[in-house]
């Protein structure tokens, strides 16, 4: 593919030097030798719990008929797996299939590690929300993976305490701020929620909802838009609430945060569809007291959410059986039995729209047993997810976020300065690697 001279490993820079045209030219399934006919034995690197049991359904069913056998090799997730994939690809020994988070796809594609499987899986595009499918195409005509799970964001709140303090579920972010202030007046010792700087994915999802596009390709250059108007609006909003003391400023996933949720000191949480699982362990004493609603909107009448998390199934360019691997990837993420097994064994929320209200999702999570429409409502919300815009050095941006916003939240200082630091660090890293950056 073009612009390969600047390839780097994920662990150093997540370097990516390609524009929209280059993306289209990469890893085309039409010009890269297709899978040979006959039996195929495939290896799949994945981290989802119970994936071997799901794959067993394939091997005993469609796979047996197709003579395509798949073996799962359990891996670590995140940066560790991406680095391992690129190391294996450098030696031309990458597995046939890999589980990849959406934000890692640009790095894997830029290193020519993923095949374009549009010819094999393009027909399943309609099974997924547009905002999710777009993340596997990187804005091109190619398809580099099949969506597996997603994390549509929503608003969680203690229904009992909202009733006790006569609070309304906020439909807009302005109403959210007023609700936080109203709670402080009625119960000064309580907080509506907290701004946490230890999970960059939350902030990224909120920025997506506001319309942010953090990375966009301009020819052979990258334009970094982290400090754009949409993200600045989000940063100023949350920074203002922290500065005035309307909400807490402690990080999530700590014993202190768990206690705040469990005792009712914090009575709401901006999270994603997977939140019930977290609440089950963080706030066990509050079972049955929570409810879920759509994420507040920036303007009344809007209907958009962001995504916090999610992964896909991709086929590598090292595979000698790309067509067979793509066939399995499509089955894994669209077949009703496979998706039901993924939900039950791996605890995932499927990206495929039809699966979001069937199988394991016909009943609400046990923690939300009283909200019978939990999954039907979640499915409606999932359809409204804004597209993500990932780039080559997500790790640099995320690390800088944790440092800069962590300090700003702790000191209740200007979030705008932290956002500029995040922008500058991301741009500087790209330039350090020798890549063009559009103004």
């Amino acid at each position: 593919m073009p612009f390969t001279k600047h390839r780097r490993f994920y662990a150093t820079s997540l370097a990516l030097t390609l524009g929209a045209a280059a993306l289209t030219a990469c890893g085309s399934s039409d010009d890269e030798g297709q899978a040979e006919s006959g039996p195929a034995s495939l290896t799949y690197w994945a981290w989802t719990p119970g994936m071997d049991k799901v794959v067993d359904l394939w091997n005993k069913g469609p796979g047996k008929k197709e003579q395509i056998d798949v073996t799962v090799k359990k891996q670590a997730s995140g940066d560790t797996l991406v680095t391992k994939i690129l190391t294996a690809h450098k030696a031309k020994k990458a597995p046939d299939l890999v589980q990849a988070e959406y934000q890692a796809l640009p790095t894997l594609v830029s290193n020519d590690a993923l095949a374009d499987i549009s010819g094999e899986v393009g027909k399943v595009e309609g099974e997924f929300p547009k905002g999710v499918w777009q993340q596997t195409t990187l804005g091109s005509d190619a398809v580099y993976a099949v969506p597996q799970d997603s994390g549509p964001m929503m608003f969680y709140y203690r229904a009992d305490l909202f009733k006790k303090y006569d609070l309304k579920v906020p439909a807009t972010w302005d109403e959210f701020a007023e609700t936080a202030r109203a709670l402080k007046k009625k119960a000064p010792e309580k907080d509506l929620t907290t701004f946490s700087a230890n999970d960059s994915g939350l902030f990224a999802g909120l920025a997506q909802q506001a319309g942010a596009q953090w990375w966009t390709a301009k020819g052979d250059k990258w334009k970094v838009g982290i400090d754009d108007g949409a993200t600045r609006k989000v940063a100023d909003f949350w920074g203002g609430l922290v500065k005035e003391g309307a909400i807490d400023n402690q990080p999530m996933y700590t014993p202190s945060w768990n206690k705040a949720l469990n005792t009712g000191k914090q009575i709401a949480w901006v999270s994603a569809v997977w939140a019930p699982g977290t609440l089950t362990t963080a706030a066990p004493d509050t079972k049955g007291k929570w409810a879920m609603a759509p994420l507040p909107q920036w303007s009344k009448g809007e209907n958009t959410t962001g995504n916090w998390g999610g992964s896909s199934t991709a086929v590598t360019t090292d595979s000698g059986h790309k067509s067979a691997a793509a066939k399995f990837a499509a089955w894994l993420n669209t077949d009703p039995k496979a998706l039901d097994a993924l939900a039950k064994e791996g605890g995932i929320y499927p990206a495929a729209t039809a699966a979001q209200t069937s199988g394991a999702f016909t009943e609400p999570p046990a923690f939300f047993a009283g909200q019978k429409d939990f999954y039907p409502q979640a499915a409606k919300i999932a359809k409204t997810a804004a597209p993500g815009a990932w780039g080559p050095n997500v790790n640099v941006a995320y690390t800088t976020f944790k440092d800069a916003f962590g300090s700003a939240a702790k000191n209740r200082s200007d979030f705008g300065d932290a956002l500029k630091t995040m922008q500058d660090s991301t741009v500087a890293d790209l330039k350090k690697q020798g890549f063009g950056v559009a103004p």
Side-chain angles (χ1 to χ4, degrees):
M1 61 177 281
F3 308 109
T4 55
K5 65 179 181 179
H6 293 300
R7 289 180 185 172
R8 297 288 188 275
F9 283 99
Y10 190 89
T12 58
S13 72
L14 296 177
L16 177 57
T17 55
L18 42 83
L23 279 171
T24 305
C26 271
S28 170
S29 59
D30 294 330
D31 57 20
E32 279 196 8
Q34 292 300 294
E36 297 176 1
S37 59
S41 294
L42 310 176
T43 301
Y44 179 25
W45 285 3
W47 69 81
T48 296
M51 183 63 78
D52 54 336
K53 295 180 181 178
V54 182
V55 170
D56 198 43
L57 295 176
W58 165 267
N59 289 335
K60 293 180 178 179
K64 186 174 183 180
K65 182 179 179 181
E66 299 274 355
Q67 292 187 299
I68 301 171
D69 185 76
V70 180
T71 299
V72 177
K73 291 194 174 180
K74 188 74 176 290
Q75 305 292 325
S77 60
D79 295 6
T80 302
L81 178 56
V82 176
T83 301
K84 186 174 181 180
I85 292 168
L86 294 179
T87 300
H89 173 61
K90 187 177 181 181
K92 302 298 181 185
K93 293 182 179 180
D96 300 276
L97 298 129
V98 295
Q99 183 177 4
E101 293 177 291
Y102 297 118
Q103 66 263 32
L105 291 176
T107 301
L108 295 171
V109 171
S110 72
N111 283 274
D112 202 24
L114 301 186
D116 171 11
I117 53 176
S118 55
E120 292 84 2
V121 305
K123 61 182 179 296
V124 304
E125 177 179 354
E127 304 277 348
F128 306 95
K130 291 182 179 179
V132 174
W133 183 261
Q134 180 268 346
Q135 295 190 79
T136 68
T137 69
L138 309 189
S140 72
D141 293 329
V143 178
Y144 295 105
V146 180
Q148 183 163 106
D149 61 310
S150 63
M153 296 176 68
M154 45 202 67
F155 179 67
Y156 293 87
Y157 63 100
R158 283 282 300 272
D160 59 330
L161 297 181
F162 263 58
K163 183 178 181 179
K164 177 179 179 179
Y165 296 113
D166 192 26
L167 303 174
K168 293 183 179 180
V169 178
T172 67
W173 287 113
D174 284 342
E175 291 177 5
F176 178 93
E178 289 306 315
T179 300
R181 296 178 184 119
L183 176 65
K184 271 297 176 186
K185 289 180 180 179
K186 296 177 180 180
E189 76 285 359
K190 294 185 181 294
D191 296 291
L192 179 65
T193 192
T194 187
F195 177 85
S196 173
N198 68 347
D199 197 318
S200 317
L202 170 58
F203 187 72
L206 290 170
Q208 286 172 20
Q209 186 211 21
Q213 297 284 303
W214 282 2
W215 287 271
T216 51
K218 299 290 184 180
D220 61 350
K221 295 182 178 181
W222 278 103
K223 181 175 178 59
V224 180
I226 292 174
D227 192 13
D228 65 355
T231 309
R232 184 163 286 274
K233 177 170 64 175
V234 175
D236 289 346
F237 175 81
W238 287 93
L241 290 178
V242 169
K243 191 172 184 178
E244 71 175 88
I247 62 173
D248 197 4
N249 60 347
Q250 69 169 312
M252 301 179 293
Y253 314 128
T254 65
S256 176
W257 181 72
N258 291 346
K259 183 178 180 180
L261 290 175
N262 200 39
T263 60
K265 184 180 184 301
Q266 179 181 320
I267 71 169
W269 184 26
V270 174
S271 189
V273 70
W274 40 260
T278 301
L279 291 172
T280 299
T281 55
D285 296 342
T286 65
K287 182 178 180 180
K289 298 178 180 180
W290 291 82
M292 178 270 286
L295 206 62
Q297 302 294 304
W298 285 104
S299 297
K300 212 162 190 177
E302 289 182 350
N303 188 22
T304 306
T305 194
N307 258 316
W308 182 2
S311 63
S312 62
T313 308
V315 178
T316 73
T317 51
D318 290 344
S319 175
H321 302 279
K322 294 185 183 65
S323 292
K327 186 175 292 186
F328 167 76
W331 172 86
L332 179 65
N333 298 304
T334 61
D335 181 82
K337 291 183 179 179
L339 291 169
D340 189 45
L342 277 172
K344 292 177 178 177
E345 299 292 344
I348 73 153
Y349 182 73
T353 303
Q356 293 170 356
T357 53
S358 62
F361 303 101
T362 54
E363 295 293 331
F367 209 78
F368 285 73
Q371 189 170 358
K372 298 300 182 183
D373 69 340
F374 183 97
Y375 283 123
Q377 187 172 179
K380 290 180 181 178
I381 294 171
K383 292 179 181 178
T384 71
W390 305 111
N393 53 349
V394 174
N395 64 333
V396 172
Y398 274 19
T399 298
T400 306
F401 169 83
K402 292 178 182 179
D403 293 339
F405 277 83
S407 176
K410 182 178 180 180
N411 299 323
R412 300 186 185 274
S413 58
D414 188 6
F415 277 24
D417 290 342
L419 188 63
K420 187 176 185 301
T421 298
M422 190 177 170
Q423 166 86 15
D424 292 346
S425 296
T426 304
V427 169
D429 177 72
L430 289 176
K431 291 181 176 178
K432 181 181 179 181
Q433 301 307 321
F435 305 134
V437 179

